[in-house]
Amino acid sequence: MTTPEPADRILARASLAEGNPTGWFEQLYTAAARGEAEVPWTRGEPNADLAARVRPGEGRRALVVGCALGDDAELLSAHGWAVTGFDVAPTAVEAARARFPESEVDYVVADLLNPPGEWAHAFDLVVEIINIQAMPREFRPAAVQSLASFLAPGGTAIVSEVAEENVDMTHWQGPPWPFSRTDVESVAQHGVRLVSLETIRDGARYWATFTR
Ligand SMILES: C[S@@+](CC[C@H](N)C(=O)[O-])C[C@H]1O[C@@H](n2cnc3c(N)ncnc32)[C@H](O)[C@@H]1O
């Protein structure tokens, strides 16, 4: 007997076959809301790597890319950041607002591949954790360019993705599409420079920081 394929993989395959890199996220969140699927990355708590490294925001602006159900955005808000969290899936954004009705986070539906122009150079902290790797590689340069554009002078961008160097890529089928070190370093563009790049979780993920 074979194990049934999880809903996220079935939806992703169909969406990608239609040339749509992100449509399956909304489909997955709505299926989960109906109790018909699980969203594998939702934990009900903030990312532990981010929680271990978060610094006081003192009112500065933070942007959480692919904020999903809001846990990382709320973590930063609790540490004094003025947070905008965005996700391409409207159902995720609605769920985040519903989970945290008293929240000071500005939850927004937006696409990293076509972000609002007013976000350019606007954020003192930009957090990108395992979102860009969830889109096929051909979308990576545009996504990375958007990500770099958000960072304000003197700010910090955090980028954490699955590390390709520790994955057997022979028969690998995304999502996700892991990052190489060169992929991570490509965030250093248009005035953004790499500050640190390490592996975490026993080499499974990269954790990189950038500034402008
Ligand atoms: C793999 S999940 C990771 C969620 C969260 N960052 C975490 O660490 O658990 C990817 C998230 O990014 C969102 N997403 C994917 N592509 C996006 C895009 N182009 N723009 C904005 N959000 C996107 C998805 O809807 C989903 O919530």
Side-chain angles (χ1 to χ4, degrees), residues 64-128:
V64 178
V65 179
C67 64
L69 303 188
D71 295 285
D72 291 350
E74 294 299 323
L75 171 78
L76 297 180
S77 180
H79 282 78
W81 292 90
V83 182
T84 299
F86 78 97
D87 203 288
V88 74
T91 298
V93 170
E94 281 168 29
R97 291 184 186 134
R99 284 181 74 210
F100 304 105
E102 308 296 323
S103 179
E104 294 182 7
V105 174
D106 185 17
Y107 287 108
V108 177
V109 177
D111 187 348
L112 180 63
L113 298 174
N114 187 22
E118 65 267 25
W119 287 358
H121 295 201
F123 294 93
D124 305 298
L125 177 64
V126 178
V127 176
E128 155 54 33

Side-chain angles (χ1 to χ4, degrees), residues 21-22 24-26 29 41-43 47 64-69 72 86-89 92 110-113 128-131 133-135 205:
T22 59
W24 64 276
F25 292 105
E26 174 63 10
Y29 283 114
W41 51 84
T42 53
R43 304 167 300 272
N47 177 285
V64 178
V65 179
C67 64
L69 303 188
D72 291 350
F86 78 97
D87 203 288
V88 74
D111 187 348
L112 180 63
L113 298 174
E128 155 54 33
I129 300 178
I130 64 167
N131 307 304
Q133 64 165 48
M135 288 182 282
R205 282 196 193 178

Side-chain angles (χ1 to χ4, degrees), residues 16 35 42 57 66 71-72 133 136 138-139 152 165 167 173-174 177 184-185 191:
L16 295 167
T42 53
D71 295 285
D72 291 350
Q133 64 165 48
E138 62 262 38
F139 298 94
E165 65 195 77
V167 172
Q173 283 192 314
W177 291 269
V184 176
E185 288 164 358

